[in-house]
Amino acid sequence: MAKPAARIGLIEAMLVIAALAVVLRAAQLQLIQGGRWQDEAERSRKERQVLPARRGGIYDRNGVPLALTQEYFEVGFAPNELTGGARDVRLIARSLGFPLPQLQRQVATRKWVAIRGPFNGLQVQELRALRGVYLDGQYSRHYPAGPLARGVVGSLTPDSGRGASGVELALDSLLAGVPGEAVVLKDKRGQTYQSPSRIDREPTGGRDVFLTLDAELQEISERALEGAMAEFDAIGGDIVMLDPHTGELLALASRRTVDGQMVVNRATYFTEPFEPGSTAKLFTAGALLTLHRVDSTDRVYAEDGLWKMPVDGRGHTRLIHDAHATPGSLTLADAIRVSSNIAMGKFSQRLSAVEQFEALRDFGFSSPTGVEFPSESRGTLRMPDRWDGYSKPSIAMGYEFEVTPIQLAAAYAAIANQGILLTPTLVREIRSDQGLLLYRHQPEPVRRAISPAVAKRLLEYLRRVVAKGGTAEAAQLANWILVGKTGTVIRHDGGVYQSGHYTASFASVFPLTDPQLVVVVKIDDPRSGKIYGGETAAPLTRAMLEEALSARRSALDRSRLASPALEEAAAVVDDNPDQPAVNRVVLTLPVSSDSAARPGPRLVPNVTGSSLRRAANALHRRGFHVAVRGSGRVQRTTPAAGDSAGYGALVTVWAE
């Protein structure tokens, strides 16, 4: 049996070893691993939270909101923390529109009451000062204008809230803002509460974007396109309105029918090219004039509307025909006026393939325009070494290459802008979340496509198109002069031309003097019996401009519109434009303000049962301003049909 002294010594040694182990472990935890465990403790006690930033708004050029982000709140409160007791409960119920008896029952039985929202800032404003009430704010995107311009504005992804399409995607980095950060404390149960000494980085709101679109012109365009699709039994269409002096896009409308349903939120004016048809004849004409390959006296035989064109030296021919056959010979101006494929095909032989190709490239075809929109198509235009013997006349007629409606509008804008091609734009201004102006669009010239003299001559040719006997005679307005070119092309689908299916178009400049608008209208596959651009797209353009001119808040700058007399004087087209211009003086007699020549009262026409577009056209022709309430077929008007109203009076159209 061991001696007691030995046992005591053993126990003491074990205690010393245990104490030494404790000291060493403590040293390891505090000196070696102390930083790691301190960080772990901080992580378990504190939590960093991301504070979302308000996404910037999207507005039209006049400040009409198209996309807004608004903060909404969920409300929760602890009844035992309310200092006002029943008074605070009544205030909560009244502010949130919550039934008071139901809320009182929840307060009596629960330690925490959650009221599902969402509630806006005004509803929770009085609750912010109440002790024990907690607000959980979240941002929500909404579109006050509904479907208006949604193809341009775009949308967000549901999960991340980032841009998914349209301007929301193209300018996502500007709109998104910079999130903030907050540090909150957690108790042993994992519940969070704010620390008095928390470290915050306040969120920075996104930039507000003001588009170049005009909401009024946009609404006119979309409504007119829907009416045209119904009237002409078309499967789709596009409308582009552009300011030729700035490149600003004022209206963009697109509609398609898919499985019998109309789709409104597509942006095919940017993404889907088409063969432009006779609207492209003007660009070959510009090349001929620029290179002096034709003058006003040159004529070619129109073959009575049917021409077997030789395409090589082996006797092969291609048949070209004119829908508007014209006997005799035609000048270049005549070929544009009656849209002669044969005459343009013959004139195009005076250009080399490279010259014709470069002329089209100078107008911006086969290149993206640079507009601020994702997935813009560049169109198609083959290199001239891949052309065959038929390509030059075919391209002069608007076949064998494809353009987007926005490219076609930009090219016509160059003609209206004295030959200078501008970059189209969708963004007019960018402002900070505090309203400070950060960017303002300035015109961005790309190149000079043609000389000012050639541009003026082409406008004269377009003036003939809308004059009596031209293919766009139905487009002309009563008091101001619209000039433009029609186009009708067989639709190309799946690599094959679809006989009996057409794309009708009209590209125009308004007004002739100091142009404010370039308008491109395209109607896809009209099946009502009217297939030509001159009987579909051209009158639609006229109707839209009549509505814009008659609108109460005119989208056009009336101070820049010349008087009807000056417009007519400026529109006189010489039979021989190469001769020196003759100065014309227009004399008008002074007319007093109470002259009997002023238009008097007139009867309001009966437009009940008509489409909104037809009703608006009928009222505009009578000289009335129009306001629309509702959509669909017209039910009544105020003043009523048959009532007398003064010239320029407002007539409200009520639709179902």
Side-chain angles (χ1 to χ4, degrees):
M1 185 174 181
K3 295 180 180 181
R7 292 198 299 272
I8 293 172
L10 180 60
I11 293 172
E12 288 177 346
M14 294 176 63
L15 290 175
V16 169
I17 293 172
L20 183 61
V22 170
V23 171
L24 291 175
R25 179 58 176 165
Q28 180 189 29
L29 292 175
Q30 295 188 34
L31 300 179
I32 300 175
Q33 300 178 349
R36 190 185 77 179
W37 292 112
Q38 184 177 3
D39 292 342
E40 184 69 23
E42 286 291 322
R43 282 195 297 269
S44 64
R45 191 172 65 91
K46 293 182 180 179
E47 181 179 288
R48 291 186 176 272
Q49 291 185 343
V50 174
L51 302 178
R54 181 192 68 85
R55 189 174 180 85
I58 301 176
Y59 305 84
D60 90 327
R61 66 190 297 112
N62 298 312
V64 176
L66 303 175
L68 292 177
T69 292
Q70 189 167 346
E71 189 172 18
Y72 292 94
F73 299 89
E74 303 284 343
V75 179
F77 65 95
N80 61 337
E81 295 182 21
L82 297 178
T83 57
R87 184 179 68 252
D88 288 351
V89 174
R90 288 194 296 271
L91 177 59
I92 294 171
R94 184 176 70 251
S95 299
L96 304 182
F98 197 84
L100 179 58
Q102 182 178 345
L103 188 60
Q104 289 172 334
R105 287 194 299 271
Q106 294 183 15
V107 168
T109 58
R110 300 179 183 178
K111 293 182 178 181
W112 177 260
V113 178
I115 306 178
R116 295 185 177 276
F119 302 104
N120 60 41
L122 290 177
Q123 290 175 294
V124 303
Q125 184 63 36
E126 293 185 277
L127 308 183
R128 294 179 184 273
L130 296 183
R131 178 179 173 82
V133 175
Y134 300 88
L135 306 178
D136 182 17
Q138 295 181 346
Y139 288 113
S140 177
R141 194 72 159 174
H142 64 108
Y143 300 89
L148 186 73
R150 282 301 299 276
V152 177
V153 174
S155 60
L156 304 181
T157 57
D159 51 350
S160 67
R162 305 304 296 263
S165 63
V167 173
E168 294 275 31
L169 173 60
L171 303 182
D172 184 70
S173 59
L174 290 173
L175 293 164
V178 180
E181 189 177 75
V183 177
V184 297
L185 300 181
K186 293 194 296 185
D187 60 19
K188 62 182 181 181
R189 292 175 295 179
Q191 294 183 346
T192 61
Y193 57 94
Q194 293 181 351
S195 168
S197 59
R198 65 182 181 178
I199 302 173
D200 287 341
R201 184 179 73 242
E202 293 294 335
T204 302
R207 311 287 172 83
D208 291 329
V209 175
F210 289 76
L211 301 181
T212 58
L213 297 183
D214 184 289
E216 188 167 8
L217 283 178
Q218 182 71 27
E219 184 178 3
I220 289 172
S221 300
E222 292 186 6
R223 190 168 63 241
L225 184 56
E226 290 182 4
M229 287 179 61
E231 180 179 354
F232 303 124
D233 191 22
I235 65 172
D238 297 284
I239 294 175
V240 175
M241 292 189 181
L242 182 148
D243 186 330
H245 299 306
T246 65
E248 294 181 349
L249 292 162
L250 301 176
L252 295 164
S254 174
R255 295 290 186 271
R256 292 291 183 276
T257 54
V258 178
D259 297 329
Q261 299 295 320
M262 185 175 293
V263 180
V264 300
N265 60 348
R266 299 178 65 178
T268 52
Y269 29 74
F270 292 128
T271 60
E272 293 187 9
F274 71 106
E275 288 181 315
S278 294
T279 58
K281 288 175 178 172
L282 213 62
F283 309 120
T284 295
L288 290 163
L289 294 172
T290 297
L291 298 172
H292 306 289
R293 304 293 167 79
V294 67
D295 61 36
S296 60
T297 62
D298 287 344
R299 292 179 173 272
V300 294
Y301 180 50
E303 306 285 347
D304 292 324
L306 193 63
W307 179 39
K308 291 183 178 180
M309 174 195 165
V311 295
D312 55 30
R314 298 189 298 272
H316 295 142
T317 61
R318 292 290 295 270
L319 188 64
I320 299 178
H321 76 280
D322 284 339
H324 313 283
T326 304
S329 299
L330 300 174
T331 63
L332 182 59
D334 293 332
I336 298 294
R337 177 176 59 85
V338 299
S339 199
S340 171
N341 293 331
I342 294 171
M344 286 305 303
K346 289 186 174 182
F347 279 123
S348 71
Q349 300 302 308
R350 303 184 183 188
L351 298 171
S352 69
V354 172
E355 289 170 338
Q356 193 174 4
F357 171 84
E358 289 180 346
L360 295 175
R361 288 297 300 267
D362 284 345
F363 276 103
F365 300 128
S366 191
S367 298
T369 65
V371 68
E372 308 90 344
F373 197 87
S375 305
E376 182 193 6
S377 172
R378 63 188 305 128
T380 59
L381 176 62
R382 290 178 294 127
M383 297 297 291
D385 58 1
R386 297 175 57 194
W387 294 12
D388 58 28
Y390 182 63
S391 290
K392 286 193 296 183
S394 180
I395 288 173
M397 293 184 291
Y399 286 89
E400 292 194 28
F401 75 106
E402 292 182 322
V403 305
T404 62
I406 187 67
Q407 286 177 321
L408 187 60
Y412 268 75
I415 297 172
N417 194 36
Q418 299 186 14
I420 297 177
L421 180 70
L422 298 178
T423 300
T425 183
L426 270 173
V427 180
R428 192 166 193 252
E429 289 182 357
I430 297 176
R431 294 182 176 270
S432 72
D433 60 338
Q434 304 299 320
L436 299 177
L437 181 64
L438 303 176
Y439 166 83
R440 177 65 187 272
H441 171 259
Q442 298 295 328
E444 300 177 18
V446 178
R447 70 179 69 88
R448 176 171 288 284
I450 49 176
S451 69
V454 171
K456 182 179 180 181
R457 178 74 66 80
L458 294 179
L459 287 175
E460 291 173 350
Y461 289 173
L462 293 180
R463 173 67 181 93
R464 295 172 183 258
V465 175
V466 300
K468 187 174 181 58
T471 59
E473 184 178 350
Q476 196 49 264
L477 295 163
N479 292 326
W480 290 280
I481 295 180
L482 170 75
V483 301
K485 181 71 188 77
T486 57
T488 307
V489 65
I490 301 174
R491 291 178 63 80
H492 189 263
D493 187 21
V496 178
Y497 285 102
Q498 306 294 321
S499 178
H501 299 271
Y502 302 90
T503 297
S505 58
F506 183 56
S508 59
V509 176
F510 174 81
L512 176 62
T513 304
D514 187 17
Q516 295 189 40
L517 283 178
V518 166
V519 183
V520 170
V521 175
K522 177 171 73 76
I523 306 296
D524 296 322
D525 201 10
R527 295 166 293 185
S528 65
K530 296 181 178 180
I531 61 171
Y532 295 109
E535 57 188 7
T536 57
L540 178 63
T541 302
R542 182 198 66 225
M544 289 190 298
L545 290 175
E546 287 175 342
E547 189 170 352
L549 288 166
S550 300
R552 296 187 69 184
R553 183 177 65 82
S554 177
L556 297 172
D557 185 355
R558 290 181 174 274
S559 65
R560 288 171 51 196
L561 290 175
S563 69
L566 291 177
E567 270 282 279
E568 285 296 338
V572 173
V573 181
D574 295 327
D575 291 333
N576 189 352
D578 286 333
Q579 296 299 321
V582 178
N583 292 328
R584 291 175 170 81
V585 179
V586 179
L587 299 178
T588 58
L589 296 175
V591 180
S592 63
S593 59
D594 58 350
S595 169
R598 173 188 287 183
R602 65 255 342 262
L603 297 180
V604 175
N606 184 5
V607 294
T608 302
S610 302
S611 67
L612 285 174
R613 191 168 72 85
R614 287 184 176 275
N617 289 344
L619 291 165
H620 290 154
R621 285 195 294 269
R622 294 291 183 94
F624 297 121
H625 294 297
V626 178
V628 175
R629 297 292 182 269
S631 61
R633 292 288 172 178
V634 176
Q635 297 297 302
R636 58 188 174 87
T637 60
T638 307
D643 288 352
S644 179
Y647 183 83
L650 176 67
V651 176
T652 302
V653 177
W654 302 87
E656 61 185 19

